[in-house]
Amino acid sequence: MDGRDIAHNKAVRGYIMRSLAKGFNNTLLCRQLVNVMISDGIIVSPDISKHLDYLVNKGYIEFTNKKVNSYTAYANDATIRLTVDGVDLLEGSRPDDPGVDI
């Protein structure tokens, strides 16, 4: 993975986090999020599973349906929600995460 890929991954994760913060109660539907990201030119493919997986594993986001995971979220149009840790990261009340460009 080269520097451009790493920077892009960080930017995508940060975009996801900031988008969720703008959603009603810090939530968005997965397809709603993907559609905005495609129209804004952030991604070209609707597959954001690796980015969601990173954010879930860090505890920054969660799915409201516990049967959904990062790899089935798009197919199930899952609702994604920021966690308390995710809000804290966005607000700067916890240390920066080098893998998320806020």
Side-chain angles (χ1 to χ4, degrees):
M1 193 177 283
D2 68 19
R4 287 183 311 229
D5 291 338
I6 292 168
H8 181 258
N9 288 341
K10 291 177 175 185
V12 169
R13 293 180 199 128
Y15 189 97
I16 291 169
M17 298 279 291
R18 291 187 305 276
S19 296
L20 289 170
K22 295 174 188 171
F24 179 71
N25 288 334
N26 294 330
T27 63
L28 285 174
L29 292 170
C30 187
R31 290 187 186 161
Q32 187 180 27
L33 176 62
V34 165
N35 290 341
V36 169
M37 292 174 74
I38 290 173
S39 69
D40 284 352
I42 304 299
I43 57 172
V44 292
S45 164
D47 183 11
I48 59 169
S49 56
K50 71 178 182 178
H51 304 294
L52 295 177
D53 197 46
Y54 179 92
L55 296 170
V56 166
N57 287 329
K58 288 289 195 155
Y60 302 144
I61 65 169
E62 63 187 4
F63 302 105
T64 58
N65 181 343
K66 299 303 177 198
K67 294 178 182 174
V68 172
N69 64 42
S70 301
Y71 299 95
T72 62
Y74 185 79
N76 292 303
D77 200 14
T79 302
I80 308 167
R81 174 175 44 218
L82 276 178
T83 64
V84 171
D85 286 340
V87 172
D88 286 348
L89 180 67
L90 284 170
E91 292 178 346
S93 51
R94 69 173 292 135
D96 287 345
D97 184 318
V100 182
D101 191 7
I102 300 297

